[in-house]
Amino acid sequence: MKLFNYIFLIFPFLGFSQELITNVPNRVTTSLNGEWNYIVDQYETGYYSFHRDAYDQQKGFQKSAFYSNYHAQNKQELVEYDFDKSPTMTIPGDWNSQKENLFYYEGNIWFKKSFDYDLKENKRLFAYFGAINYKAEVYLNGIKLGIHEGGFTPFNFEVTSIIKEKDNFLVVKVDNTRRKEAVPTLNTDWFNYGGITRDVLLIEEPKSFIQDYTIQLKKGEKNTISGFVKINNFDKSADFVTVKIPELKINYKGKIDADGIINFEITNKKIEYWSPESPKLYDVSVAYNNQVLKENIGFRTIETKNAQIVLNGKPVFLRGISIHEENAKGGRAYTEQDAVRLLTWAKELGCNYVRLAHYPHNENMVRLADKIGLMVWEEIPVYWTVDFTSLETYKNAENQLVEMITRDKNRCSTIIWSMANETPISDARNTFINNLNAKARSLDNTRLISAALLTKSDGLNSYVDDAIAENLDIVAFNEYLGWYGGNLDDAEKIQWTSKYNKPVVVSEFGGGAKQGLHGEKNERWTEEYLEYLYIQNLKMIDKIPNISGLSPWILVDFRSPRRLLPGIQDGYNRKGLISNDGNKKKAFFVLKEFYNQKTKPH
Ligand code: GCU
């Protein structure tokens, strides 16, 4: 079948935004992962005419027309393209690390997957994408389903009325071009992996089904499980929902209100609380009509009190590390094995906490953190200089925030939602981030809100002075003593002050070292330099008032187009405690010992 004929067969697309279906791993799904055909479309020939008129937004487009008016009049057909004769790529997977000739490619690639599907009369079907970086335009059987922007959060479209028993063709236009108005914007210190980078699934549901739910502890009430269940297409065929947690002898039954939602509160004094040391998860089931959804959910309280972070009523110190979502091949990570590789290293380091930078990671990471006991900082890629004056940019950032919180709000390991990283202070930026903060709290008033801020210093005095800190629960900041300035020998003389009576987390510090390169501790890029940098920074950090945690930058060396020093970086940011080929640097053991000391009773 020719790609571009499909997209001419476009009825007014069903592009209304579909609300996210959650707990997808435990639903009835059919995977479309595997080999997909792809066509590199550098000039977007499949989307625009030679005069740059977009085919699927062309005026006067007749619903029944097989071709756009343009082609009908001109009897032209794009005959130079044919998916079935085109090469294939493994999905999920970024194109950069799969195809050498696409390593640095930034632009448009069309993907196509053909499949059969026998959808029974009383069922509905949804096409679900775990993530596509960066912008996706999705068509099924020539009909445009819609558009999604944002490279790290899931989305789904209903396809019930379009699916056929045989020869369905799912076409996805992926564009990873960086743009000033995008989120993130043009400049980042990570690799812009393009493509369908997470699972593609078909989700089969009853006519009226459980779309989403929250089941967590109510804010400030450790004996109250509260939340909601949302029914999609509530048709009153059944008007109650049950929530069961057998181990707690909870068998709650509640009536759904007119708009298909039920809010509930369940008191229980027997809850065993989740913690990194004891990551207790309960078997939970949510039932409605003939549908039962199961999930493992943990319960814990998280709050701040007296400028401390308090987990289950006790002050906790976040022994963390920052992590980028990259796999052993040097591509975008997405599998459970990738998650095991990264989080096992974090545990080996002695961590009870990880910062998943700088965007929402794949769902395997947060589900594994629940299971093995790691608290999590999640963030959206409002990074450096996004366009804070643009309403379109704000709506995009807010949408990514909503999708992140919607997907992970039942993950007890997630304790912090972060709004931004190292953004330059301005009135527009303050409004932008304060609005994101308010949106996050409106969706989830139980977790802590933070942002990785920049610091100021005069001489040996260092501090944070940033208006948005007033609205954050945790004042987090990135400092690079000994790498982007400052003298490591002064570390213990540096005085940190904080004008906010809030917990402080050092969300980044670090330096670069080529694993295996040895020399004196004052020789940049040697392991000895990085080792000394950690020794000195940790001494300084340990004295910061209200210090409540840290997540040094970073667990593993990672690709960045900004890091090119031949023989040392070669396209990698070398601040990892572990090299990209899995070898630990001496600084790994400095941090490990520091955390080991932190766990000893004072
Ligand atoms: C910044 C930024 C990171 C970056 C790091 C570095 O703090 O937040 O994304 O990789 O510094 O310079 O290595």
Side-chain angles (χ1 to χ4, degrees):
M1 293 288 265
K2 296 181 182 60
L3 153 74
F4 302 108
N5 296 358
Y6 304 162
I7 65 172
F8 299 150
L9 193 104
I10 295 158
F11 302 98
F13 66 79
L14 312 170
F16 41 84
S17 66
Q18 300 257 347
E19 292 179 316
L20 196 59
I21 297 173
T22 55
N23 188 16
V24 171
N26 294 298
R27 288 180 185 266
V28 176
T29 60
T30 301
S31 174
L32 293 182
N33 293 348
E35 293 307 296
W36 287 46
N37 297 93
Y38 70 94
I39 296 174
V40 179
D41 185 9
Q42 215 171 350
Y43 292 0
E44 298 185 274
T45 311
Y47 196 80
Y48 294 105
S49 71
F50 72 124
H51 280 172
R52 207 75 182 158
D53 302 314
Y55 295 129
D56 69 3
Q57 276 113 28
Q58 207 148 22
K59 288 185 182 50
F61 194 75
Q62 303 306 314
K63 184 172 174 184
S64 58
F66 186 76
Y67 290 100
S68 68
N69 276 355
Y70 170 80
H71 284 280
Q73 286 149 11
N74 296 278
K75 302 260 183 294
Q76 278 192 16
E77 193 181 328
L78 287 160
V79 295
E80 297 104 322
Y81 303 86
D82 187 322
F83 259 123
D84 295 335
K85 293 181 183 145
S86 298
T88 63
M89 189 184 303
T90 305
I91 298 302
D94 65 274
W95 62 62
N96 315 80
S97 64
Q98 284 194 73
K99 304 290 177 186
E100 205 170 328
N101 62 349
L102 298 176
F103 181 70
Y104 281 115
Y105 181 70
E106 284 194 345
N108 286 269
I109 295 184
W110 295 82
F111 292 88
K112 191 251 324 178
K113 183 72 175 179
S114 297
F115 63 95
D116 301 338
Y117 199 93
D118 179 12
L119 184 62
K120 297 290 181 282
E121 185 53 39
N122 61 346
K123 295 290 186 185
R124 294 166 67 189
L125 198 66
F126 295 80
Y128 171 89
F129 300 86
I132 292 183
N133 188 47
Y134 168 80
K135 180 175 180 181
E137 308 206 26
V138 184
Y139 306 77
L140 180 66
N141 298 339
I143 293 174
K144 185 157 195 176
L145 303 182
I147 297 173
H148 183 269
E149 192 167 337
F152 305 96
T153 47
F155 57 99
N156 43 249
F157 298 109
E158 183 159 12
V159 297
T160 308
S161 62
I162 307 169
I163 203 77
K164 304 183 296 180
E165 194 168 342
K166 295 284 180 204
D167 298 332
N168 293 283
F169 48 91
L170 180 60
V171 172
V172 182
K173 175 180 181 283
V174 180
D175 182 358
N176 78 329
T177 308
R178 288 165 296 116
R179 290 185 176 82
K180 176 180 178 301
E181 70 280 1
V183 179
T185 184
L186 292 165
N187 191 20
T188 68
D189 192 27
W190 70 80
F191 202 91
N192 179 28
Y193 291 111
I196 304 174
T197 49
R198 294 179 191 161
D199 291 335
V200 181
L201 305 169
L202 295 169
I203 309 173
E204 187 175 288
E205 297 290 354
K207 288 285 185 205
S208 176
F209 68 95
I210 301 163
Q211 173 179 314
D212 183 20
Y213 54 85
T214 287
I215 302 176
Q216 286 282 281
L217 285 180
K218 184 174 181 180
K219 184 177 178 64
E221 297 194 29
K222 66 179 186 177
N223 296 323
T224 304
I225 293 172
S226 77
F228 73 87
V229 178
K230 181 174 185 180
I231 305 300
N232 182 297
N233 182 35
F234 177 48
D235 59 6
K236 299 185 177 53
S237 53
D239 61 1
F240 61 88
V241 155
T242 60
V243 175
K244 291 182 179 172
I245 310 179
E247 204 179 329
L248 292 173
K249 296 184 175 43
I250 288 175
N251 186 356
Y252 170 84
K253 185 172 180 177
K255 191 164 171 49
I256 305 163
D257 63 21
D259 60 1
I261 291 179
I262 171 173
N263 294 291
F264 61 85
E265 291 192 0
I266 306 167
T267 302
N268 187 291
K269 295 194 183 333
K270 297 263 192 286
I271 297 167
E272 185 185 332
Y273 298 104
W274 181 94
S275 72
E277 296 71 31
S278 171
K280 170 68 179 171
L281 298 178
Y282 284 93
D283 291 338
V284 177
S285 67
V286 182
Y288 165 72
N289 222 345
N290 303 320
Q291 182 180 29
V292 180
L293 279 182
K294 292 183 180 300
E295 187 162 23
N296 295 327
I297 293 179
F299 302 102
R300 52 99 189 96
T301 63
I302 191 73
E303 58 198 325
T304 62
K305 206 178 282 177
N306 307 324
Q308 291 181 304
I309 298 170
V310 178
L311 175 73
N312 300 326
K314 281 189 281 183
V316 67
F317 186 88
L318 305 184
R319 307 188 309 273
I321 191 71
S322 294
I323 298 176
H324 257 306
E325 190 184 49
E326 209 164 82
N327 60 26
K329 288 198 326 276
R332 190 53 80 209
Y334 62 91
T335 65
E336 188 158 357
Q337 295 72 14
D338 293 337
V340 168
R341 172 176 170 269
L342 293 168
L343 298 188
T344 302
W345 273 332
K347 277 284 192 182
E348 196 183 328
L349 199 48
C351 295
N352 63 357
Y353 162 74
V354 289
R355 176 189 179 195
L356 301 187
H358 281 297
Y359 36 75
H361 286 213
N362 66 82
E363 200 167 353
N364 289 310
M365 287 289 274
V366 287
R367 286 183 181 269
L368 184 61
D370 265 12
K371 210 161 90 179
I372 65 175
L374 283 166
M375 293 177 282
V376 175
W377 157 310
E378 289 198 66
E379 65 187 80
I380 51 174
V382 174
Y383 181 93
W384 289 353
T385 56
V386 298
D387 184 353
F388 295 109
T389 63
S390 156
L391 179 59
E392 175 204 350
T393 302
Y394 176 78
K395 285 185 178 310
N396 180 344
E398 187 179 87
N399 184 58
Q400 294 187 46
L401 177 71
V402 169
E403 289 173 343
M404 174 177 75
I405 294 176
T406 303
R407 189 195 74 179
D408 292 346
K409 60 190 180 301
N410 288 322
R411 304 279 70 81
C412 60
S413 52
T414 298
I415 59 166
I416 297 167
W417 303 120
S418 176
M419 304 297 109
N421 181 74
E422 294 194 349
T423 49
I425 293 176
S426 70
D427 291 344
R429 169 267 200 179
N430 293 353
T431 303
F432 191 104
I433 294 176
N434 285 335
N435 287 344
L436 287 174
N437 183 335
K439 181 68 179 179
R441 293 186 195 278
S442 72
L443 294 169
D444 172 14
N445 69 355
T446 68
R447 289 178 174 84
L448 305 177
I449 305 290
S450 190
L453 305 175
L454 289 166
T455 63
K456 293 176 179 165
S457 62
D458 44 25
L460 292 175
N461 297 310
S462 296
Y463 57 95
V464 166
D465 180 16
D466 190 329
I468 65 169
E470 300 293 350
N471 305 312
L472 300 177
D473 296 307
I474 294 173
V475 175
F477 60 78
N478 300 345
E479 60 86 13
Y480 276 91
L481 173 73
W483 191 256
Y484 293 125
N487 182 336
L488 287 173
D489 298 333
D490 291 340
E492 293 182 88
K493 296 176 215 157
I494 291 173
Q495 293 302 317
W496 284 91
T497 53
S498 174
K499 66 182 191 180
Y500 314 99
N501 182 30
K502 299 183 178 190
V504 168
V505 167
V506 177
S507 35
E508 287 182 35
F509 78 86
K514 168 91 171 160
Q515 191 271 325
L517 179 65
H518 295 286
E520 298 307 315
K521 70 179 184 181
N522 60 357
E523 278 183 270
R524 193 179 274 262
W525 302 115
T526 63
E527 287 203 41
E528 285 70 22
Y529 186 94
L530 188 60
E531 182 184 40
Y532 183 55
L533 183 145
Y534 266 72
I535 291 167
Q536 292 301 93
N537 272 277
L538 291 170
K539 282 180 196 166
M540 175 185 75
I541 289 166
D542 219 11
K543 296 189 309 170
I544 294 176
N546 302 336
I547 187 68
S548 301
L550 61 155
S551 49
W553 193 259
I554 186 169
L555 181 66
V556 191
D557 291 351
F558 60 95
R559 285 195 200 280
S560 168
R562 299 175 71 245
R563 308 295 178 172
L564 305 175
L565 183 60
I568 297 284
Q569 295 177 312
D570 299 318
Y572 275 86
N573 183 313
R574 293 290 182 199
K575 296 189 181 69
L577 290 175
I578 303 171
S579 66
N580 52 295
D581 41 26
N583 299 316
K584 296 182 181 73
K585 302 173 190 176
K586 294 170 83 170
F588 178 96
F589 302 98
V590 172
L591 185 62
K592 182 179 169 80
E593 178 52 23
F594 178 77
Y595 285 162
N596 182 36
Q597 292 305 320
K598 278 289 172 194
T599 57
K600 289 189 172 18
H602 294 306

